[in-house]
Amino acid sequence: MWAGLVLLAVLVVGSVFFMRTRTAQAPTTNTVSSASEASTTTSLGNGVSVVAPAGTTIAVSPSGNKAPSLTGPILISASLPQDAQTILKNKEVTLIAQLQKNPTNIDLWLDLGIDRKIGGDYAGAAEAWGYVAKAAPASASFVAYGNLGSLYMDYLKDYPKAEANFKQAVLLSPHTIDYYRELYTLYKYSYKTNTTAAADILAQGLKANPGNADLLVLQQQS
């Protein structure tokens, strides 16, 4: 049992880059409201809906961006110790139950992606984070784009998608240094290695964050 708990702790620490926001709701472009009924129900797609008192404005996902289904099987890698599998499955069951009650909570979707990633369900993690990236405001979606960038770079080895997601994270949050650093690592060691991309991203980061010590160190080492 203890071996499983220790391994799970290591996996969680190894996933520290996968961040989450503390914004409670996910406002998006389309809204609905009602003042004439006792309550109003808004569908987010795939059987996920939210109920609120009459007169409340409810954020719904943009057209074509349905909420991921919460009724599919929970996938945990068989390579993990049984104790770790049990812990992760119980966490995901709890998150799904919370999301079914409050499906517009950004933190819950981000946490679901983190747990799925730790459990080896990379497609499920990408689905959860991809939904947040497209449905949440910029103040939250940049976190999801950054998580997707790391997932595609470090685990799925899809470097074009890693680049695209990191670039979107930089666009939405130009003062988050981690994303410049991750792009630099991607360009220096895995993708577009024979170009000026690594130097260019550091220059871009320093232009947006003049004098940043981390970026300056990387620039000096290049």
Side-chain angles (χ1 to χ4, degrees):
M1 175 178 180
W2 288 110
L5 292 173
V6 171
L7 178 57
L8 181 60
V10 171
L11 289 169
V12 171
V13 171
S15 301
V16 70
F17 181 76
F18 292 85
M19 302 183 296
R20 59 181 181 176
T21 181
R22 299 315 321 167
T23 305
Q25 300 294 322
T28 52
T29 55
N30 301 324
T31 59
V32 297
S33 62
S34 172
S36 59
E37 300 175 323
S39 65
T40 182
T41 301
T42 300
S43 173
L44 300 181
N46 282 329
V48 181
S49 60
V50 60
V51 179
T56 301
T57 298
I58 306 169
V60 299
S61 59
S63 176
N65 184 37
K66 293 183 178 180
S69 174
L70 296 172
T71 60
I74 295 176
L75 304 178
I76 307 290
S77 174
S79 66
L80 294 175
Q82 188 61 50
D83 291 342
Q85 292 183 45
T86 300
I87 292 169
L88 286 170
K89 183 175 182 179
N90 289 340
K91 286 184 66 179
E92 190 162 335
V93 167
T94 299
L95 280 171
I96 288 172
Q98 292 173 330
L99 277 166
Q100 287 172 335
K101 294 180 180 178
N102 190 9
T104 59
N105 188 295
I106 294 171
D107 291 334
L108 295 177
W109 285 110
L110 291 173
D111 285 348
L112 182 64
I114 291 171
D115 283 351
R116 285 178 171 177
K117 177 265 166 187
I118 294 173
D121 181 9
Y122 301 145
E127 183 181 46
W129 289 333
Y131 176 62
V132 174
K134 294 178 181 178
S139 60
S141 62
F142 79 89
V143 175
Y145 280 115
N147 288 357
L148 286 167
S150 293
L151 182 70
Y152 285 118
M153 180 173 75
D154 297 326
Y155 295 89
L156 297 176
K157 308 301 180 182
D158 188 332
Y159 300 134
K161 286 186 178 179
E163 178 190 37
N165 281 283
F166 278 136
K167 281 188 170 182
Q168 188 64 24
V170 166
L171 178 66
L172 296 173
S173 184
H175 301 302
T176 302
I177 303 302
D178 280 338
Y179 302 142
Y180 298 105
R181 187 186 298 114
E182 292 297 303
L183 276 169
Y184 169 79
T185 299
L186 175 67
Y187 292 141
K188 186 171 179 65
Y189 300 107
S190 303
Y191 186 59
K192 297 183 177 180
T193 55
N194 295 320
T195 70
T196 62
D200 292 343
I201 195 60
L202 292 180
Q204 180 183 339
L206 286 167
K207 183 177 180 181
N209 304 274
N212 181 268
D214 289 345
L215 297 180
L216 286 172
V217 168
L218 291 176
Q219 194 175 59
Q220 291 168 2
Q221 293 174 348
S222 300

